Amino acid sequence: MLGSARVRTNQSYKHYILAAPRVLLLKQTAEDDSHVKLLSDCGYEVHGLAPQEFQFTNRELLNAELVSPANYSGLILTSLRAVQAAEKCFLSRDELQEWQKTALLHWQTLPVFVVGKATEEAATKLGFKTLGSDAGNAKTLVPVIKERFSLDASEKPLLFPCADIRKDTLPEALAGAGIPLKEIVAYCTQPHSELQCNLELYVKSKGTPQFIAFYSPSSVEYTTKFLPSIMPDWQAVKLIAIGPSTTEALQKAGCPVVTTATRPSPEGILQAIQSCEETSK
């Protein structure tokens, strides 16, 4: 019986199994989601479930700033949602395309700092030229910003479209370094309206997963109140965190055994899962 045995290939581990290990990703996933694709290619049964919903706000204010790049020394985008907020602040596709032909050209001469590959890909697609994508979170992005402005100091602020629940890490660190910042709350985060129902349906259909990957502190806050009662084998589930702040949130929620991805990427999540499996042998 093969069970969960694997053979190593040049690219990854492939599972030759009767029942593939189940992985629940607590994130909104699209049909071509890179996390789902990589894990599925490596033999896992993967399901994505959105723990939160987002409402974009202050569109007119953000629009006014994005069409005025001369007022800024650069831009900070710490999430995919921030990039989406920048795109959605334009009322029409024609207005967006006009911005891309005019003000965006000026933004392309300025540093645009991002966190993670997904944010980098979305920002690049919108037309920005980015820095810092290897940073896994706002804390590790700070040295990248400081290094850039130690060479080219400016009295103009950095524009920072952010969430209503953003942490103080980046603003406080930049203030301490004398780097001015203008924040605009560009989106609000709230629990998904059908979160508990969707979790219950998943467990009823698939059973308790072997792994759950958390992609933000809010995903921890919104789901850990339900998961122990919904999943009979909750204590046996291996928990994966996308980064240190999510790990901290899980520990505060009473989940002390957490594996943290070394990078906020599909490869980082895969390596964290494989690390859990190796430890469990």
Side-chain angles (χ1 to χ4, degrees):
M1 183 174 177
L2 291 175
S4 59
R6 300 171 188 157
V7 295
R8 186 185 292 272
T9 69
N10 290 335
Q11 299 296 324
S12 62
Y13 286 106
K14 293 286 185 178
H15 297 258
Y16 294 89
I17 59 177
L18 297 178
R22 294 183 299 278
V23 182
L24 176 60
L25 307 181
L26 290 177
K27 69 187 291 286
Q28 187 171 6
T29 55
E31 186 176 342
D32 59 347
D33 187 272
S34 57
H35 291 249
V36 173
K37 184 179 186 306
L38 178 62
L39 294 174
S40 297
D41 286 348
C42 291
Y44 296 94
E45 181 184 329
V46 188
H47 185 84
L49 193 153
Q52 65 269 98
E53 296 174 333
F54 301 95
Q55 181 178 356
F56 296 102
T57 187
N58 292 324
R59 292 188 181 191
E60 291 184 4
L61 179 57
L62 182 56
N63 180 294
E65 304 310 322
L66 286 175
V67 299
S68 306
N71 295 335
Y72 293 96
S73 61
L75 178 66
I76 300 175
L77 301 167
T78 58
S79 70
L80 175 60
R81 216 64 59 188
V83 180
Q84 293 173 340
E87 182 174 6
K88 289 180 179 295
C89 77
F90 297 97
L91 298 179
S92 67
R93 176 59 55 179
D94 287 344
E95 185 180 346
L96 173 61
Q97 290 176 345
E98 181 61 28
W99 172 79
Q100 289 175 321
K101 294 175 183 177
T102 54
L104 177 60
L105 300 179
H106 191 154
W107 281 113
Q108 290 175 340
T109 69
L110 301 173
V112 177
F113 301 97
V114 299
V115 169
K117 295 296 182 182
T119 307
E120 178 189 40
E121 289 174 7
T124 300
K125 186 176 180 180
L126 192 55
F128 293 115
K129 296 180 179 180
T130 65
L131 298 170
S133 63
D134 289 336
N137 51 57
K139 183 178 180 180
T140 54
L141 183 64
V142 169
V144 179
I145 298 173
K146 286 183 177 180
E147 180 179 4
R148 175 65 173 77
F149 283 92
S150 68
L151 302 174
D152 185 18
S154 173
E155 295 182 357
K156 296 179 181 180
L158 287 162
L159 179 60
F160 180 35
C162 60
D164 59 325
I165 58 173
R166 71 106 178 100
K167 293 183 176 295
D168 294 331
T169 305
L170 191 146
E172 290 182 354
L174 295 185
I179 299 174
L181 187 71
K182 179 167 182 176
E183 295 181 47
I184 295 178
V185 175
Y187 61 99
C188 298
T189 307
Q190 59 193 27
H192 193 284
S193 58
E194 298 181 353
L195 175 58
Q196 184 172 3
C197 177
N198 289 340
L199 285 169
E200 290 172 348
L201 287 173
Y202 170 81
V203 174
K204 184 178 180 179
S205 172
K206 303 293 185 181
T208 300
Q210 280 77 28
F211 304 93
I212 300 179
F214 294 81
Y215 282 77
S216 67
S218 62
S219 70
V220 175
E221 177 187 354
Y222 299 155
T223 61
T224 51
K225 63 183 72 174
F226 303 128
L227 289 173
S229 60
I230 291 174
M231 296 183 177
D233 302 324
W234 165 246
Q235 294 297 329
V237 180
K238 303 295 190 299
L239 307 183
I240 310 296
I242 192 69
S245 60
T246 304
T247 297
E248 182 181 351
L250 280 164
Q251 292 171 340
K252 287 182 178 179
C255 309
V257 182
V258 180
T259 301
T260 307
T262 56
R263 292 175 292 162
S265 65
E267 293 77 14
I269 293 293
L270 174 61
Q271 289 170 3
I273 291 173
Q274 291 176 336
S275 174
C276 284
E277 291 177 316
E278 290 295 325
T279 302
S280 299
K281 287 183 178 179

